[in-house]
Amino acid sequence: MAKFRPAVTAVNGYVPEDKLTNSDLEKIVDTNDEWIRSRTGIEERRILKTPGKAASDLGAEAVKGLLKKRGIGPEEVDLLICATATPDHLFPATANIISDKCGIKNAWSFDLMAACSGFIYALTTAAQFIETGKHKKVVVVGADKMSSIVDYTDRATCIIFGDGAGAVLLEADEEGNGIIDSVLHSDGMGREFLHQKAGGSMKPASIQTVENREHFVYQEGRTVFKFAVSNMADAGAEIMERNGLKSEDIAWLVPHQANLRIIDATARRMGLDDSKVMINIHKYGNTTNGTIPLCLWEWENQLKKGDNIVLAAFGGGFTWGAVYLKWAYNTN
Ligand code: UT7
């Protein structure tokens, strides 16, 4: 079967306008700006406040802008995959809703859930459809309205998360640029350390679950931190080794933005200095599936055709991994 190299040919991001700063949080919970900055690197996050608006609205804004940037119509999209941990509903898929909101009618679409690693899982999944020649244009969108599942009475988690979405278009590249390799892992033994306790089939919603605040993110931060530091760094090192990459070969590391200390540990393990690491956690916090495409969007103008880029993530599940790609276009 003919092989086609799946490449990112456009990227776009969207964050809501309203900001939630560290000083705003100081008024809600017992915390302070210094603690949040030094422990996480976060200064502010964006929050989708409009009533009735959901993850699909964030995702749809990102996708509409994506198609416009690439100059293609919604009818040209073959497949849309949405990575989200905060779907509009348990079903139908948020991907179906985003497609509807964007006028994408000739495609099939589905959600993929892998917590904070969802975007790299979805990218790897989407790439297969380009690689085999089955599809020509596949959209991958990471969209999360984390504020809908954050407990703003829990100071250990409410300081971390923000809302946002990012999307990429995958098409075949004829020059050999694009997604070259990925290493993905999961280990369900980690599920108890980061999850939403109720609202699924194990513990359906009840008055009791609501009273117990079990519909919010539950995280044992210190344990998750420990696994995130070692596994995200390991995944970065693993993909370098598999592809014979040295630190000087890598133009950019695009890490999931969960905690600046986890990002620093990953960069150190890969031998990369700060100038090669995309970091915007101070502005957006952890937008879960939005972090990696939001970085690519913000750095797009600095990316050059042929740049070696490594994406790396760690999240609930546990799930983690890394993707190695060669950037396929110059913006200017
Ligand atoms: O993206 C998906 C994966 N998620 C992650 O990668 C997140 C990983 N975890 C983390 O980023 C960090 O564990 C947190 C940022 C969540 C917490 O930072 P930490 O350095 O691990 O703090 P800790 O939980 O060990 O708590 C240290 C102290 C505790 O006080 P005591 O027991 O030492 O007196 C906490 O009660 O800090 C306290 N604390 C706070 N103090 C002020 C916890 N949250 C806050 C807060 N403000 N917001």
Side-chain angles (χ1 to χ4, degrees):
M1 189 186 292
K3 292 268 273 181
F4 302 86
R5 178 60 56 79
V8 172
T9 57
V11 57
N12 194 46
Y14 177 79
V15 288
E17 272 176 27
D18 281 307
K19 292 179 181 173
L20 180 67
T21 65
N22 290 351
S23 72
D24 293 331
L25 284 167
E26 284 176 3
K27 295 175 194 120
I28 305 172
V29 286
D30 179 16
T31 190
N32 59 78
D33 178 54
E34 204 282 324
W35 192 97
I36 302 172
R37 277 176 201 252
S38 62
R39 299 288 181 125
T40 69
I42 303 168
E43 293 168 21
E44 58 187 37
R45 322 105 192 100
R46 299 299 181 91
I47 304 293
L48 180 59
K49 285 192 173 163
T50 319
K53 294 282 180 188
S56 68
D57 295 289
L58 299 168
E61 286 302 321
V63 173
K64 278 183 206 163
L66 178 81
L67 302 184
K68 199 167 165 209
K69 271 174 92 169
R70 184 68 180 134
I72 63 169
E75 68 288 347
E76 293 180 61
V77 175
D78 301 305
L79 164 65
L80 181 144
I81 305 176
C82 176
T84 184
T86 52
D88 290 19
H89 311 280
L90 275 180
F91 70 89
T94 299
N96 306 155
I97 302 168
I98 293 174
S99 293
D100 182 52
K101 287 179 176 170
C102 295
I104 295 173
K105 301 278 185 211
N106 298 328
W108 59 297
S109 60
F110 65 93
D111 286 357
L112 187 152
M113 196 176 271
C116 291
S117 307
F119 186 78
I120 59 168
Y121 269 50
L123 195 65
T124 303
T125 305
Q128 313 305 311
F129 293 94
I130 300 291
E131 203 165 287
T132 56
K134 168 97 174 152
H135 290 320
K136 290 197 161 43
K137 291 180 170 52
V138 180
V139 171
V140 179
V141 51
D144 272 302
K145 183 185 169 185
M146 293 306 293
S147 60
S148 66
I149 57 164
V150 163
D151 182 351
Y152 287 98
T153 66
D154 175 9
R155 70 175 182 172
T157 55
C158 74
I159 54 143
I160 302 172
F161 296 103
D163 301 339
V168 298
L169 180 69
L170 289 188
E171 296 176 271
D173 184 276
E174 287 165 8
E175 297 174 58
N177 293 312
I179 296 169
I180 292 172
D181 194 17
S182 63
V183 290
L184 299 173
H185 301 280
S186 62
D187 185 349
M189 78 77 205
R191 64 191 178 279
E192 66 188 272
F193 304 114
L194 178 51
H195 69 298
Q196 189 174 318
K197 292 188 175 181
S201 59
M202 182 178 277
K203 208 184 235 195
S206 68
I207 290 168
Q208 197 64 48
T209 61
V210 172
E211 279 176 359
N212 291 345
R213 310 185 77 77
E214 290 177 324
H215 296 271
F216 295 117
V217 177
Y218 170 83
Q219 175 171 252
E220 292 179 28
R222 227 174 282 187
T223 307
V224 177
F225 183 86
K226 206 177 71 192
F227 280 97
V229 162
S230 60
N231 288 338
M232 204 162 115
D234 282 354
E238 188 182 350
I239 204 138
M240 285 174 75
E241 202 178 309
R242 271 164 62 125
N243 292 281
L245 291 169
K246 299 194 182 62
S247 20
E248 57 268 29
D249 300 326
I250 295 171
W252 294 101
L253 168 65
V254 193
H256 169 53
Q257 313 277 309
N259 186 313
L260 192 53
R261 292 181 289 148
I262 300 172
I263 295 172
D264 286 345
T266 305
R268 267 201 310 277
R269 176 77 184 280
M270 294 171 70
L272 304 174
D273 64 56
D274 292 355
S275 64
K276 289 183 166 186
V277 186
M278 296 187 193
I279 297 170
N280 59 14
I281 190 170
H282 53 290
K283 294 196 292 186
Y284 306 133
N286 181 352
T287 56
T288 303
N289 288 284
T291 60
I292 289 176
L294 280 171
C295 280
L296 289 173
W297 169 58
E298 289 205 323
W299 267 262
E300 186 187 20
N301 287 339
Q302 295 181 56
L303 304 180
K304 294 186 198 67
K305 198 171 174 175
D307 274 356
N308 287 318
I309 298 180
V310 173
L311 321 177
F314 180 88
F318 293 137
T319 55
W320 69 100
V323 171
Y324 164 41
L325 59 88
K326 277 184 180 290
W327 197 247
Y329 62 95
N330 293 317
T331 310
N332 302 311

